[in-house]
Amino acid sequence: MYAQLVDTGTKRLKTLEEMSPEEREFQEKVDAEIKIEAKNWMPDGYRKTLIRQISQHAHSEIVGMLPEGNWVTRAPTLKRKLQLMAKIQDEAGHGLYLYSAMETLGADRDEEIQKLHDGKAKYSSIFNYPTLNWADMGAVGWLVDGAAIVNQVVLQRTSYGPYSRAMVRICKEESFHQRQGYQILLDMMREGTQEQKDMVQDAINRLWWPALMMFGPHDDESPNSQQSMVWKIKRKSNDELRQMFIDQTIPQLEFLGCTAPDPDLKWNEETGHYDFGDINWKEFYDVLKGDGPCNRERLATRRKAIDEGAWVREAAVAYAAKQKQRAAA
Amino acid sequence: MTEQQALQNYLLRLADSDMILGQRLCELCGKAPAVEEELALMNVALDLVGQARNWYEYAAELIDDGRDADKLCFLRDAHDYRNLLLVEQPNGDYAVTMARQFFFDVWHYFTMKSLENANDERIANIAAKAVKEATYHLRRSSEWVKRMGDGTEESHRRIQDAFDLLWRFTGELVTPDDTDHAMFKAGIGPDPEQLKKDWFGMVREVAAQATLTTGAEDAWMYMGGKKGVHTEHLGFILAEMQFLPRAYPDATTW
């Protein structure tokens, strides 16, 4: 999931009786699964929540290029290099696409990016972890894109039309990335040397828990979930999504011949789901607050790119203005 | 030098220049001045590395000594690399990145245009695809040169500085050596005289529109890449790019 702890600005849900006629009409539409479009009336809180969520999602796509950029210059074969480059290109495309969806809500891309750089907006916690060996490129594709897909497949049914349609398109590409990531790991496990197999297990050990944290806090610790669910921005709870992810991932993990760094992980015959150990929530909140391994570096890199690129963007604007003037003359 | 040797040499030059420029662009991942540029840079890089792979594959078949495309790319040292010095120059600011791209794109475009008609079917096919990509690359870098040159005072200064900085590496693009002559004679490579005329013609035309000045055709030129004598930068590029295959020589699959 690329959006975590998105603030809805509401303390308590309103009943239909408490709503204004406009609000009630809006809620009835949402309840009837009719998509809300940019020009429709919507509660202020709904608009703001969506802007926060979609911008967080877009920022995540862009910041998420950095841990992959860390290895794209060192990809070991032409095939793997081309695959990784294509994946990164897709992510930049997703970022652009999501920023556009966000702008349909009246938000401004530059302002939202500024909020990110000022530390007022977030991106997914996962991208604050370092990528330390080549197998991380496989594990990121498999686990991180995999976790994102579990969330995004559900978001294809989100109530806001432009966001929902963006998800349909993005999901197709993400599942491709996930399969590619898994293939990297599978090839190394099947045909690789012991050193390569060790890389794979090491990558899984480091990224396993951060991937599970992508789904956000437990449902009872997620103050905004209820409102987001009523607005159908969110369609399934954090814990439900996390469980779905674990249930689908463990057979793939076993097929690889690898293990998860969780001694409590086991199949529960009664529930029909996997049980798993406690997430280190202190680490999760530390990373969200800025105290993760790479928070400072990731933000500094993004700030530097945008700050040092200011003159480039100004040149483009100045040139366009001159061209317009010339055309008018 | 036999025609066969010249051809292998020529293919490695094409491959290496594409590869090294693609590698330089990869370094910019997540660091471009705008999201649109992230997309475009990776797109251009992807085209170039894809073309490099095509040239390496053909070169590997002709060399036929057991090395495949990956081995040619990841297990040759700097003195065996045949790329133009221009493409190994550091990214610098975005003006340097774009000036480097523009000088290369003009050369690349005319070279691919010519190779499209090579009497070697394999080369003609690769070039036919590449020329479409090179056309887009050239349009894009020309536009940026114009935007920067005729944009703000600062952007004008930066792109002019970049032109001045990189001019000394452009001679190599249009100064033919034995391999280039042999390829022309064999009906494969472009006419060196025509390529030179086309390159200067287009560079000067775009520079004029961008209100920029270019160096002299007879200015001192720094050359050597085509015969494996490089600047100090290439060793570091290869150290990074070739790290995994060299650190894990026993690994046969990735």
Side-chain angles (χ1 to χ4, degrees), chain B residues 167-206:
Chain B
W167 189 254
R168 67 201 152 121
F169 297 111
T170 61
E172 194 174 32
L173 279 58
V174 292
T175 306
D177 65 0
D178 291 351
T179 299
D180 296 308
H181 286 303
M183 283 299 96
F184 175 54
K185 218 176 112 198
I188 292 171
D191 173 356
E193 282 311 308
Q194 189 60 41
L195 181 65
K196 188 172 182 173
K197 234 171 83 184
D198 289 338
W199 190 87
F200 277 109
M202 181 163 292
V203 167
R204 294 211 194 286
E205 186 190 318
V206 172

Side-chain angles (χ1 to χ4, degrees), chain B:
Chain B
M1 186 172 50
T2 64
E3 191 186 309
Q4 188 67 5
Q5 285 168 325
L7 177 58
Q8 291 169 11
N9 200 20
Y10 192 70
L11 288 170
L12 285 176
R13 288 179 183 181
L14 293 171
D16 291 344
S17 284
D18 283 342
M19 192 67 208
I20 297 301
L21 185 53
Q23 175 72 5
R24 278 296 194 206
L25 296 180
C26 280
E27 293 171 12
L28 289 171
C29 172
K31 295 163 189 166
V35 185
E36 285 81 356
E37 290 304 295
E38 294 287 355
L39 193 67
L41 284 176
M42 202 43 82
N43 185 257
V44 172
L46 196 55
D47 289 344
L48 292 173
V49 176
Q51 290 175 29
R53 179 166 68 169
N54 292 335
W55 298 128
Y56 281 134
E57 279 172 355
Y58 189 27
E61 284 172 33
L62 295 178
I63 294 170
D64 193 27
D65 64 356
R67 286 182 296 175
D68 60 8
D70 281 327
K71 288 207 168 68
L72 288 178
C73 177
F74 292 102
L75 295 177
R76 278 179 309 137
D77 203 350
H79 60 266
D80 283 328
Y81 257 71
R82 294 285 179 265
N83 62 281
L84 298 160
L85 297 180
L86 175 71
V87 298
E88 69 197 43
Q89 299 313 303
N91 290 324
D93 65 8
Y94 213 54
V96 172
T97 297
M98 214 41 86
R100 183 186 64 196
Q101 190 71 40
F102 171 65
F103 290 151
F104 174 82
D105 287 345
V106 176
W107 170 84
H108 195 218
Y109 169 77
F110 285 116
T111 303
M112 291 305 117
K113 275 289 259 194
S114 170
L115 290 180
E116 209 180 0
N117 301 312
N119 64 12
D120 178 310
E121 198 182 57
R122 181 79 171 269
I123 290 180
N125 286 339
I126 297 172
K129 183 172 176 284
V131 79
K132 293 193 189 106
E133 295 167 347
T135 305
Y136 157 73
H137 301 169
L138 176 59
R139 193 168 62 224
R140 193 182 107 77
S141 58
S142 306
E143 279 304 312
W144 269 115
V145 165
K146 287 187 239 171
R147 283 191 199 113
M148 289 179 186
D150 195 17
T152 64
E153 213 172 296
E154 181 181 5
S155 68
H156 179 86
R157 175 179 56 76
R158 283 177 184 266
I159 189 75
Q160 184 63 61
D161 286 351
F163 264 49
D164 297 345
L165 177 76
L166 296 175
W167 189 254
R168 67 201 152 121
F169 297 111
T170 61
E172 194 174 32
L173 279 58
V174 292
T175 306
D177 65 0
D178 291 351
T179 299
D180 296 308
H181 286 303
M183 283 299 96
F184 175 54
K185 218 176 112 198
I188 292 171
D191 173 356
E193 282 311 308
Q194 189 60 41
L195 181 65
K196 188 172 182 173
K197 234 171 83 184
D198 289 338
W199 190 87
F200 277 109
M202 181 163 292
V203 167
R204 294 211 194 286
E205 186 190 318
V206 172
Q209 289 174 28
T211 71
L212 296 170
T213 56
T214 56
E217 282 187 33
D218 60 356
W220 175 77
M221 290 292 169
Y222 190 167
M223 297 194 266
K226 292 201 284 192
K227 54 176 200 272
V229 184
H230 290 274
T231 60
E232 291 176 342
H233 303 295
L234 186 65
F236 290 94
I237 295 176
L238 296 183
E240 183 173 1
M241 187 173 92
Q242 301 179 334
F243 159 65
L244 283 169
R246 290 198 185 274
Y248 300 94
D250 297 335
T252 51
T253 187
W254 284 97

Side-chain angles (χ1 to χ4, degrees), chain A residues 294-307:
Chain A
C294 300
N295 295 55
R296 285 167 181 79
E297 288 78 4
R298 299 286 188 246
L299 259 193
T301 305
R302 289 306 306 151
R303 273 197 209 108
K304 189 164 180 269
I306 295 302
D307 292 351

Side-chain angles (χ1 to χ4, degrees), chain A residues 16 30 70-71 157 179 234-235 247 323:
Chain A
L16 275 178
V30 169
N70 185 41
W71 280 95
R157 295 190 297 118
R179 281 199 300 276
K234 207 167 168 158
R235 306 295 312 236
D247 289 346
Q323 290 295 98

Side-chain angles (χ1 to χ4, degrees), chain A residues 94-310:
Chain A
H94 295 170
L96 266 183
Y97 202 55
L98 286 161
Y99 281 126
S100 301
M102 180 200 75
E103 287 184 322
T104 63
L105 292 155
D108 177 75
R109 194 217 296 186
D110 293 343
E111 280 173 27
E112 296 305 317
I113 289 176
Q114 193 54 50
K115 283 183 200 162
L116 172 72
H117 294 182
D118 292 343
K120 290 179 196 147
K122 287 195 273 287
Y123 54 88
S124 179
S125 56
I126 190 74
F127 302 119
N128 291 311
Y129 290 86
T131 50
L132 300 179
N133 77 50
W134 168 251
D136 285 33
M137 294 302 97
V140 165
W142 174 46
L143 295 174
V144 176
D145 288 61
I149 294 166
V150 166
N151 180 54
Q152 288 167 1
V153 163
V154 181
L155 278 178
Q156 292 180 103
R157 295 190 297 118
T158 194
S159 59
Y160 186 57
Y163 192 31
S164 144
R165 290 188 288 275
M167 282 304 119
V168 173
R169 182 166 144 176
I170 288 172
C171 275
K172 283 187 197 146
E173 293 182 350
E174 298 274 25
S175 19
F176 186 65
H177 298 162
Q178 192 200 12
R179 281 199 300 276
Q180 257 176 6
Y182 190 68
Q183 196 62 47
I184 288 176
L185 302 181
L186 196 59
D187 286 354
M188 285 169 82
M189 289 307 292
R190 282 187 170 169
E191 297 165 55
T193 61
Q194 190 56 47
E195 284 168 315
Q196 287 175 297
K197 290 176 187 169
D198 293 345
M199 280 182 205
V200 175
Q201 186 60 57
D202 174 57
I204 294 171
N205 289 348
R206 282 180 289 104
L207 289 167
W208 180 259
W209 290 109
L212 296 188
M213 291 178 198
M214 287 173 70
F215 295 93
H218 280 313
D219 295 347
D220 49 13
E221 300 284 327
S222 182
N224 304 296
S225 282
Q226 222 185 347
Q227 179 65 71
S228 275
M229 296 279 263
V230 168
W231 280 335
K232 299 198 178 185
I233 291 176
K234 207 167 168 158
R235 306 295 312 236
K236 280 189 192 296
S237 78
N238 294 352
D239 286 327
E240 280 178 289
L241 291 166
R242 188 163 20 238
Q243 188 68 55
M244 278 169 68
F245 173 71
I246 288 183
D247 289 346
Q248 76 174 39
T249 303
I250 301 304
Q252 296 166 1
L253 179 73
E254 288 170 352
F255 190 71
L256 275 181
C258 291
T259 57
D262 178 0
D264 298 323
L265 185 75
K266 60 173 186 302
W267 176 249
N268 184 326
E269 202 64 60
E270 264 172 57
T271 60
H273 294 289
Y274 284 92
D275 291 337
F276 56 97
D278 288 332
I279 286 171
N280 181 346
W281 292 111
K282 183 181 180 309
E283 177 180 321
F284 172 73
Y285 287 108
D286 280 347
V287 174
L288 279 202
K289 272 189 306 200
D291 289 328
C294 300
N295 295 55
R296 285 167 181 79
E297 288 78 4
R298 299 286 188 246
L299 259 193
T301 305
R302 289 306 306 151
R303 273 197 209 108
K304 189 164 180 269
I306 295 302
D307 292 351
E308 288 182 358

